[in-house]
Amino acid sequence: MVDISNNVRDFWVRHVVAKDVAHIRERERRDDRISIILDRIGFSWRVYLVAFLGFLASSWSLIAVTIITPALYFIYDRHGQFDRDAGLVLDMVTLTATILGMVIFGHLADRLGRSKLYGIEVIIVLVAVGGAAFSSAGFIIHQGRPDERGSLDIYAALFVFRAFLGLGIGAEYPMSALIAAEFSPTRWRGVMLAAVFLAQAVGRLLAYGIGVGALRGLSSQLDPAAEDVLDQTKVVLDIFWRLALSLAGIPAVFALVFRLFIPETPRFYSAVKRDIKKARESLTMLGTRTPEMIADIERIMIAGPDDAASETERRSWWKMAGDYYFGPAKGWKLLAAISIQWLLLDVVWYGVGLDSPGTLAALWLDKAPPSTSNSSAPPNWNDDPAYPNATIIETIDRNLVRTLQLSSIAALIGSMAVIPLVDCLSRRTHYLWTTWSLAALFACMAISVSQTYAEPTHHASIVFYVLAQVLFNLGPNTLTFILAAEMFPTEVRGTSYGVAAAFGKLGAIIARGIIKRAGKGQRGLVTVLAIFCVVLAVMALLVWVEPWGMAFPRVQEPRSLKWRDGGRAYKIVHSRLENRSLEDISPWPLVVAPSGEQGGPEGRRSESESDNESQAPGRGEEGFQLGRIAGGDGP
């Protein structure tokens, strides 16, 4: 057992680091040198692997819960005592717990450190998945009678474990993003975060793809002519839903093995703990032992005292956060900008994007659904108006196949396409183009549904829906995940990310209310699509207009090559943009710059602001220099 533990730890530790090293507090030089070393180390596949696997497990678990809901209705709702609101309540429990997980774990990551929490969220997901998969109704008494009941309440158990699952999923968002962003070299940060978010699309594809295979394999054993075919069907579905849910725990097990041994990020040690010795150890664990890297790491230790920084170190976190959000830096504007965007985005994304069987069934209609009386209304597990008399196996299979074809594959294409494109446009331009395009697609979809609903020409609506799924992950769905990890200083990055992501899940709750109020059928679907079109247009307008200074910061800058040939100057601008370091995007702490004096990093500016060279660099609002505390000449 000791050997296994040592082998796992060796996954991170590459060579021994000297222990007796003097600490320094010179923040600016320290951060700059750490950034340079991370750039030299390059893209870390180890960091990517552990972040990807954990995010994959949480995404897979969330989708699996959607898949199994009809089976739970069929098996355990024996006398129709549960209506469709039982599924809605389960969703609300999960989303509410997700909000709590995002806020709590995001804040604790700023106070305790990233690595101390990294792995706990995976344990929570494993407990939730395992507990739900082994939930039971207990011993059934009065079986087959109207007063039939079990010794256990499976829905109560599912409520509890769905709450745990939501807590773990919520914690996973800020933790994976923080680890990926703070361990990434500046050049690869956008690619790293986009590649981590790819896990969501992969999780969807695996959940539905494996779900189809498992259901068809298990149902092939059924004998339709058997007298006990109903009991056989319940046995098959009971195995199916437990298998679909428990398989999501496989990537979580692999992620957990390595997450428990991941080092703390050097940026957290430098910015929050002011512990350069441990920052140095973290860097040596991450990189390979080369003379160049060792020389760079040793260079971190060369610095003088920093009296200005020592004063800020003694401040409490709450005082520091208050100064950042409501002081000269006005960090609340950044937080409001990304939080509002995430809220509005998830209203649309969870409204029609997160695999709603009812929405997909309505889009798929090619003829008027058969009329049904109240006595022959479809059961609560059947959301398909075209097949009100379908069996439970047929209903689940059709849901899985449709979602796989219309949603999962399209989302995966969008997530894969954004990885090479993420640095070709500025984040703001990329966000604007894709969001405007989504608004146009939803307008086209609403018009198409109003004209071709339940008609043979309904294919246009399906095409618009598939394109929308591609654009979601090609644009705002991925970019909100990336921007929230880039916009804030290390000291408040976890808290800010957790709050912004929590606003997104609040949007998901709002979406449930919109869909329930709009109702079903053509009119309800057109109403929902029109509302979401307006929401997307508002998102784009807010980013474009930037009201009250609530704007995305400039996180990239053009890459150019300049040279002079005789009396002529030449300049070539590279097609890809160059990422700014996390410390330069939102520098902290701020210092007052004397009038007319320049210096320090350029600081935070909106991407829409002109880069006119006549503007004094490093200037912010109210005469403050948006730079870090001075104390070194940097690299």
Side-chain angles (χ1 to χ4, degrees), residues 85-272:
D85 287 342
L88 180 63
V89 172
L90 282 172
D91 286 343
M92 292 301 102
V93 168
T94 307
L95 290 171
T96 303
T98 301
I99 291 174
L100 292 175
M102 289 171 168
V103 174
I104 293 172
F105 275 77
H107 177 65
L108 290 178
D110 285 337
R111 305 299 297 275
L112 304 178
R114 286 52 161 144
S115 66
K116 288 185 178 180
L117 301 173
Y118 208 46
I120 295 178
E121 78 281 14
V122 179
I123 294 175
I124 295 174
V125 170
L126 281 172
V127 170
V129 169
F134 288 99
S135 296
S136 171
F139 180 73
I140 306 298
I141 59 176
H142 300 164
Q143 190 166 6
R145 291 165 48 180
D147 59 344
E148 173 186 328
R149 66 182 186 274
S151 59
L152 299 175
D153 189 337
I154 190 167
Y155 281 98
L158 289 176
F159 286 151
V160 172
F161 289 117
R162 282 286 289 268
F164 272 99
L165 180 62
L167 190 68
I169 292 172
E172 182 65 36
Y173 264 80
M175 297 309 303
S176 289
L178 293 181
I179 290 290
E182 294 183 3
F183 268 126
S184 295
T186 300
R187 177 185 177 187
W188 294 105
R189 187 180 63 243
V191 172
M192 170 76 86
L193 288 166
V196 169
F197 194 73
L198 172 68
Q200 185 186 79
V202 174
R204 291 172 69 181
L205 187 70
L206 289 174
Y208 284 101
I210 295 177
V212 170
L215 181 65
R216 292 184 177 180
L218 291 169
S219 61
S220 64
Q221 305 172 12
L222 289 175
D223 181 7
E227 293 183 1
D228 61 342
V229 64
L230 181 61
D231 292 334
Q232 290 185 28
T233 302
K234 290 182 177 180
V235 170
V236 165
L237 290 177
D238 197 58
I239 297 173
F240 164 74
W241 79 260
R242 297 177 192 277
L243 184 64
L245 198 57
S246 59
L247 286 175
I250 294 177
V253 172
F254 287 100
L256 178 63
V257 171
F258 296 114
R259 285 190 178 195
L260 294 179
F261 296 95
I262 192 172
E264 184 58 79
T265 69
R267 284 186 165 102
F268 180 83
Y269 276 138
S270 173
V272 179

Side-chain angles (χ1 to χ4, degrees), residues 24 37 52 76 294 306 341 353 378 415-416 492-493 610:
I24 65 168
I37 295 172
F52 178 88
Y76 298 105
I294 293 175
D306 186 1
Q341 288 297 318
S415 290
M416 293 178 67
V492 296
R493 185 171 292 127
S610 171

Side-chain angles (χ1 to χ4, degrees), residues 24-30 274 303-314 589 628-632:
I24 65 168
R25 295 191 303 265
E26 194 176 3
R27 171 77 180 274
E28 183 175 358
R29 178 177 293 184
R30 187 169 63 219
R274 308 292 199 268
D306 186 1
D307 296 332
S310 63
E311 182 177 350
T312 64
E313 290 171 6
R314 292 192 291 268
R628 289 162 285 170
I629 288 180

